[in-house]
Amino acid sequence: MILSLKNKTLVFILLIYFSSIPFIKCQSPSKDCFETATDRPELYLPLLKNKNVIVAANQTSLLKNKKHLVDFLVENDIKIKSIFAPEHGFRGTADAGEHVKSGIDKKTGLPIVSLYGDNKKPKAEYLKGADVILFDIQDVGVRFYTYISTLSYIMEAAAENNIEVIVLDRPNPHDGYTDGPMMKNQWKSFIGLHNVPVVYGLTIGEYGKMVNGEKWLKNNVTAKYTLIPMLNYHKQKRYGVSDKPSPNLPNDKSINLYPSLCFFEGTQVSVGRGTDLPFQVYGSPWTKNFAYQFTPKPTEGAKDPFLNGKLCYGENLSQYSKDLRQLNLEWLLKSYKDYKNPQQDYFLKNLFFDKLAGSDELRKQMIAGKSEKEIRESWKNDLENFEKIRQKYIVYPN
């Protein structure tokens, strides 16, 4: 009896002791001891010392104290050769699709090379004398968001020129699940380079591992690739982003709705560019059965918005409370059924919709009157096959 009591007391003491260790270790400003890779300089600064470095970065490349990565590297005597800037530019103010020019960073005097415009893939001359390309850009985890394409082209050019790529990983706001139609070869473009679904459930660092491991780069080349991981990241948690990843994704709400609403960009329906609620509203002059009204007007990041100056009827989703973990096709299908304009088809003539969807199947399903359930069922086999690939490259708990 006494021995049993002593054992129970000992077990109780040990439980208290071991359960307190994570708590003691987590007495830091970081939420749940979470850190992006950028906030783990002890892992990447030694890899950059005495190297000539190109930094692929934009306005999201921030440490937790809001210091920009480029400034931090300069302070730590890292030799930066140049900066590679993606769509929207180094400071992230350019419109979607706007030609971004190269230039000079006023703060550091470093040359900025645009990788959005004429040269989406770095030319060999841009890489001359470089040892490492350090990549740190916040992705949103959606196939048609172009930062994964920029990473892929950087990896391809680096492989061809024997340069290492180091990726500082960041959270994916749509991590931990996959959804949507699969990209098919005929429709590949800069908004979809690889055969993946719309939502692919990998961080940008994991995505780069997949591109390398599956030999998706041109001529099956592979890059010397180093992933600097985050600390205590979990794929089912949502951590927010360091700064808005592009002008029309200003907050977590618009990012969460983005995979579902971006299909409208291939139609005669506005997604709120040129309003205070981009990717939180949708509407068209030809969907008049909807109650909500808005009129797109020029704004920073939408200098000439789609349907500029036209009264649109649609829906305001800014108060939509659900944290979406799958695509919602309800809004797209409702809008299509309500659209009435005999002079103009619902889908843009250039069939940009098909590039977004990854094939012409979704458009044809909508025209045929398929239900959301039927459409989702058609994705099932492709998603199951992709999951076998995805599982090989997961770094973090799922």
Side-chain angles (χ1 to χ4, degrees), residues 101-356:
K101 296 179 181 178
S102 298
I104 300 292
D105 179 43
K106 293 178 181 178
K107 185 170 184 180
T108 61
L110 290 166
I112 299 172
V113 176
S114 170
L115 295 185
Y116 192 78
D118 297 332
N119 303 300
K120 293 183 173 67
K121 177 179 173 179
K123 293 181 178 179
E125 63 196 73
Y126 301 154
L127 302 174
K128 194 172 181 180
D131 302 304
V132 174
I133 302 174
L134 182 68
F135 185 100
D136 179 28
I137 296 174
Q138 175 65 57
D139 185 38
V140 300
V142 184
R143 186 186 65 220
F144 32 67
Y145 205 66
T146 62
Y147 297 157
I148 52 172
S149 294
T150 295
L151 173 60
S152 297
Y153 279 140
I154 285 173
M155 290 171 62
E156 192 171 281
E160 292 166 354
N161 290 273
N162 197 30
I163 295 170
E164 182 180 8
V165 176
I166 299 176
V167 174
L168 303 182
D169 216 358
R170 288 189 177 272
N172 173 0
H174 288 281
D175 212 343
Y177 74 99
T178 62
D179 203 16
M182 188 71 64
M183 172 57 66
K184 302 297 169 63
N185 289 337
Q186 184 183 338
W187 286 269
K188 284 184 178 179
S189 70
F190 193 62
I191 59 166
L193 285 180
H194 307 122
N195 299 118
V196 301
V198 169
V199 180
Y200 44 79
L202 297 167
T203 67
I204 196 161
E206 291 171 327
Y207 193 94
K209 275 176 58 104
M210 178 176 65
V211 169
N212 224 25
E214 296 300 306
K215 297 194 174 181
W216 286 347
L217 300 175
K218 187 179 178 182
N219 298 323
N220 295 325
V221 296
T222 53
K224 184 182 179 185
Y225 185 87
T226 301
L227 170 60
I228 305 298
M230 293 175 279
L231 178 66
N232 291 336
Y233 176 76
H234 195 288
K235 298 175 83 64
Q236 295 298 333
K237 289 196 68 173
R238 296 295 178 255
Y239 297 83
V241 295
S242 58
D243 199 344
K244 58 184 179 183
S246 53
N248 288 286
L249 291 182
N251 52 41
D252 291 340
K253 177 72 71 177
S254 59
I255 291 171
N256 189 238
L257 292 167
Y258 176 73
S260 301
L261 297 188
C262 195
F263 291 112
F264 283 122
E265 303 259 62
T267 74
Q268 296 291 342
V269 178
S270 165
V271 287
R273 294 183 190 271
T275 74
D276 293 333
L277 297 170
F279 285 99
Q280 296 173 68
V281 300
Y282 69 89
S284 170
W286 305 287
T287 52
K288 293 187 178 180
N289 286 329
F290 287 89
Y292 181 72
Q293 299 178 16
F294 64 92
T295 303
K297 296 177 181 177
T299 59
E300 184 180 357
K303 298 179 183 67
D304 184 20
F306 185 60
L307 301 177
N308 187 4
K310 294 183 178 180
L311 179 63
C312 297
Y313 305 84
E315 195 168 0
N316 182 348
L317 302 174
S318 62
Q319 301 305 312
Y320 186 76
S321 59
K322 189 175 179 181
D323 176 20
L324 287 173
R325 302 293 177 103
Q326 66 173 32
L327 297 187
N328 185 324
L329 294 180
E330 171 197 353
W331 305 310
L332 186 66
L333 297 179
K334 278 199 303 185
S335 170
Y336 177 71
K337 287 175 183 175
D338 192 61
Y339 182 82
K340 293 176 180 64
N341 180 0
Q343 276 78 45
Q344 216 164 22
D345 189 47
Y346 180 83
F347 300 99
L348 297 181
K349 288 182 180 179
N350 61 7
L351 295 184
F352 185 62
F353 185 90
D354 294 357
K355 285 189 175 181
L356 290 166

